[in-house]
Amino acid sequence: MTQTAPAQNLTADAAVPAFKRVLLKISGEALMGPESFGIHQDTVERIAQEIGAGVELGVQISLVIGGGNIFRGLSMAENGMERASADYMGMLATVMNALAMQNALESIGVQTRVMSAIEMTSVCEPYIRRRALRHMEKGRVVIFAAGSGNPFFTTDTAAALRAAEMGCDVLMKGTQVDGVYSADPKTNPDAERYESLTYMDVLKNDLRVMDQAAISLTRENAIPIVVFPLAEEGGVVGALTGQGTFTIIKD
Ligand code: UDP
């Protein structure tokens, strides 16, 4: 583990992206803004602006958005609901978030396609890998909805899966803070930020970056994970160009 150091440079030039094709994972909670539930329109629009700035750099961007701002299968299952049904409800929540993000991106002129792992053809396209690749090659932001389409999974794992299927150079995980810390920096002033970690560091120390299945999948496919501050202005471009502050996880 390498601890706090100045922002790292993946490239020397601020305008040159370090990656060609990325999968950006945004948690459902990131869309809540100051609220404690649901979709906060101003926040969705702000994130859309960030993504639009990344698209302008010429980077092919795809998104997986979680659903935790609306519904989490596990919580309902703990209250007695059958887990698989609760998880399907969670996946449907991600479709709502995907449509909100599509709307915000298109309102600023970014072309998008929503592709769902659960077919709902009057709402969006079904997920077809080769078609998704084609959309990305054409510069469209592809928003992968409904997670992996399977219960007992999370959208973190779905993000790792789609990143591998799309041949992404990196999985970018947007968070409230600027990387992975040794403790919660909001409550512990001594928490130190890691500049880089290995997949094994994350797995062995049970660091809560993404769930273990997602870490294993990215490790097997040698896809680095960049944990960056989505809540900060310029966070997406900073992570794409290597000029911002973030933690990189690789072998
Ligand atoms: N979910 C699922 N399979 C998947 C992805 C998601 O069953 O492949 C369900 C699961 O119930 C989960 C919910 O969808 O709780 C919302 O996703 P997640 O909790 O990963 O969202 P986030 O924490 O990123 O907002």
Side-chain angles (χ1 to χ4, degrees), residues 26-176:
I26 300 172
S27 73
E29 281 172 9
L31 308 188
M32 293 190 315
E35 312 294 340
S36 52
F37 176 83
I39 299 169
H40 185 249
Q41 184 61 13
D42 287 354
T43 301
V44 177
E45 285 173 10
R46 191 194 63 73
I47 296 173
Q49 294 279 357
E50 290 277 327
I51 296 165
V55 172
E56 277 187 13
L57 289 175
V59 182
Q60 294 180 10
I61 298 182
S62 55
L63 305 178
V64 166
I65 311 180
N69 55 323
I70 300 170
F71 197 91
R72 252 184 231 289
L74 197 55
S75 327
M76 281 306 276
E78 279 164 5
N79 289 333
M81 189 171 184
E82 186 208 8
R83 171 77 189 264
S85 300
D87 279 343
Y88 280 117
M89 292 173 74
M91 286 185 264
L92 294 178
T94 74
V95 180
M96 289 195 227
N97 287 336
L99 294 179
M101 184 55 72
Q102 174 174 49
N103 185 268
L105 282 166
E106 298 215 320
S107 73
I108 56 166
V110 177
Q111 282 207 40
T112 66
R113 292 290 186 274
V114 174
M115 301 189 108
S116 173
I118 296 172
E119 275 201 42
M120 44 183 95
T121 46
S122 46
V123 176
C124 57
E125 293 183 23
Y127 171 66
I128 298 169
R129 180 178 153 271
R130 293 169 72 109
R131 207 156 161 185
L133 283 167
R134 190 87 186 101
H135 286 321
M136 290 192 80
E137 283 159 7
K138 287 185 172 171
R140 296 170 183 147
V141 171
V142 179
I143 308 172
F144 297 115
S148 65
N150 299 295
F152 302 99
F153 282 88
T154 64
T155 49
D156 276 357
T157 309
L161 174 65
R162 295 290 184 248
E165 288 182 283
M166 292 297 113
C168 291
D169 313 314
V170 66
L171 194 169
M172 289 178 31
K173 162 103 176 174
T175 60
Q176 296 299 310

Side-chain angles (χ1 to χ4, degrees), residues 8-10 18-19 21-26 156 159 163 168-180 193-197 199 202 209-210 214-215 218 222-230 234-251:
Q8 51 182 300
N9 289 320
L10 294 179
F19 307 107
R21 182 179 291 167
V22 309
L23 186 300
L24 174 56
K25 164 73 207 292
I26 300 172
D156 276 357
C168 291
D169 313 314
V170 66
L171 194 169
M172 289 178 31
K173 162 103 176 174
T175 60
Q176 296 299 310
V177 291
D178 58 357
V180 183
R193 187 177 65 82
Y194 298 112
E195 189 183 349
S196 64
L197 290 164
Y199 301 108
V202 177
V209 185
M210 297 188 92
I215 302 290
T218 48
I223 302 169
I225 303 171
V226 165
V227 181
F228 75 99
L230 182 66
V236 170
V237 168
L240 285 174
T241 58
Q243 300 294 309
T245 310
F246 48 80
T247 299
I248 187 158
I249 301 165
K250 53 190 173 63
D251 260 335

